[in-house]
Amino acid sequence: MGRPVAIIGGAGNEGFGLALRWAQAGETVIIGSRDAARAQQAADKIKQRVPDANVSAMENSAAVAASDLIVLTIPFEVHAATLKQLKPAIRPGSIVVDTTVPLAASVGGRATRTLGVWQGSAAQQAAEILGKEIHVAAAFHHVGSELLIADGEKVDCDVIVCSDDPAATKTVRQLAAKIPGVRGLDGGKLENARILEQITALLIGFSLRDKGHAGIRITGLPDSAYKS
Ligand SMILES: NC(=O)c1ccc[n+]([C@@H]2O[C@H](COP(=O)([O-])OP(=O)(O)OC[C@H]3O[C@@H](n4cnc5c(N)ncnc54)[C@H](OP(=O)(O)O)[C@@H]3O)[C@@H](O)[C@H]2O)c1
């Protein structure tokens, strides 16, 4: 990508899995955490698995200030507060990739249900908080952390990217395609993030019932739709 990817919550399950895959693909990754020492532990774990990884560790505000391609992997219940806190450190023109699924489980409910979000989706909530100068893209909801972290596993899932900024969509589709097995597709406007977030609860239901890692594939489009 030629630019570092900063992952907020990068020491957690999803953030660590994405960081690992992008480090394996030769991308420069910054692991963000509220605690720089926790970020460093995650970066060290990546270095153990990918000795030539270009990975560093920072407290979240420093991480967003150091990159204009930011991936958000934090629980929904802290989504709004964390974005408000980090906003002053995010550079205008940055892309913020929101992976958040507003699962009822994040407030003690079931993992197979989503919560209603006033703005329509967590990603639209992010866009409202961050304002017009920061480009929000919703993506990676359907790529589970267990598969990302598993050694050498191809990820059998497409990543659908929704954003109101075509350049952000293109960049995030390319970032998705760095993960072996994944194709990045243009899912249209950010308002479609609502659908991406809600389908995740359905996929979690499949995975729980049948003890697997349910993903999603889009079929029937010309080759050009799958190439980023
Ligand atoms: N797990 C998956 O398979 C998966 C798949 C797709 C999307 N997602 C989405 O990714 C997000 C993270 O899920 P996860 O499973 O990776 O969760 P997780 O491992 O529990 O947490 C991720 C990180 O969030 C940070 N965090 C926790 N509480 C916080 C707080 N009060 N304030 C600020 N940061 C806090 C923590 O980082 P520090 O303590 O280091 O700051 C933690 O490591 C969720 O929105 C989820 O919907 C997850």
Side-chain angles (χ1 to χ4, degrees), residues 10-168:
N13 292 324
E14 183 72 3
F16 180 81
L18 290 170
L20 176 67
R21 293 305 185 125
W22 289 327
Q24 285 170 336
E27 297 301 313
T28 302
V29 177
I30 302 169
I31 305 266
S33 168
R34 288 168 295 172
D35 175 356
R38 194 156 49 241
Q40 189 59 55
Q41 282 169 7
D44 291 345
K45 274 205 271 176
I46 289 178
K47 276 273 186 192
Q48 279 166 16
R49 286 177 62 172
V50 190
D52 60 349
N54 203 340
V55 58
S56 58
M58 296 182 195
E59 185 278 326
N60 283 334
S61 321
V64 298
S67 174
D68 62 0
L69 179 54
I70 297 158
V71 179
L72 205 59
T73 56
I74 53 168
F76 177 67
E77 69 268 28
V78 300
H79 180 262
T82 303
L83 285 171
K84 283 178 193 161
Q85 186 223 324
L86 294 178
K87 184 180 173 185
I90 301 177
R91 291 185 238 155
S94 294
I95 297 171
V96 171
V97 185
D98 200 344
T99 73
T100 308
V101 184
L103 288 178
S106 67
V107 292
R110 286 165 54 175
T112 49
R113 284 206 187 129
T114 49
L115 299 167
V117 183
W118 183 251
Q119 292 81 353
S121 63
Q124 287 168 286
Q125 174 173 275
E128 186 178 285
I129 293 167
L130 294 174
K132 286 199 172 7
E133 293 194 331
I134 295 168
H135 309 298
V136 174
F140 300 103
H141 310 82
H142 310 138
V143 179
S145 59
E146 286 183 25
L147 266 190
L148 289 172
I149 295 169
D151 252 332
E153 290 283 335
K154 267 196 173 185
V155 176
D156 186 13
C157 187
D158 287 333
V159 165
I160 303 169
V161 183
C162 296
S163 176
D164 293 337
D165 183 71

Side-chain angles (χ1 to χ4, degrees), residues 12 37 58 63 70 88 114 128 158 169 182 187 191 200 216 218-219:
M58 296 182 195
I70 297 158
T114 49
E128 186 178 285
D158 287 333
T169 298
V182 170
E191 65 183 27
T200 312
I216 198 163
I218 302 301
T219 62

Side-chain angles (χ1 to χ4, degrees), residues 5 11 19 175 192:
V5 188
L175 193 59
N192 289 342

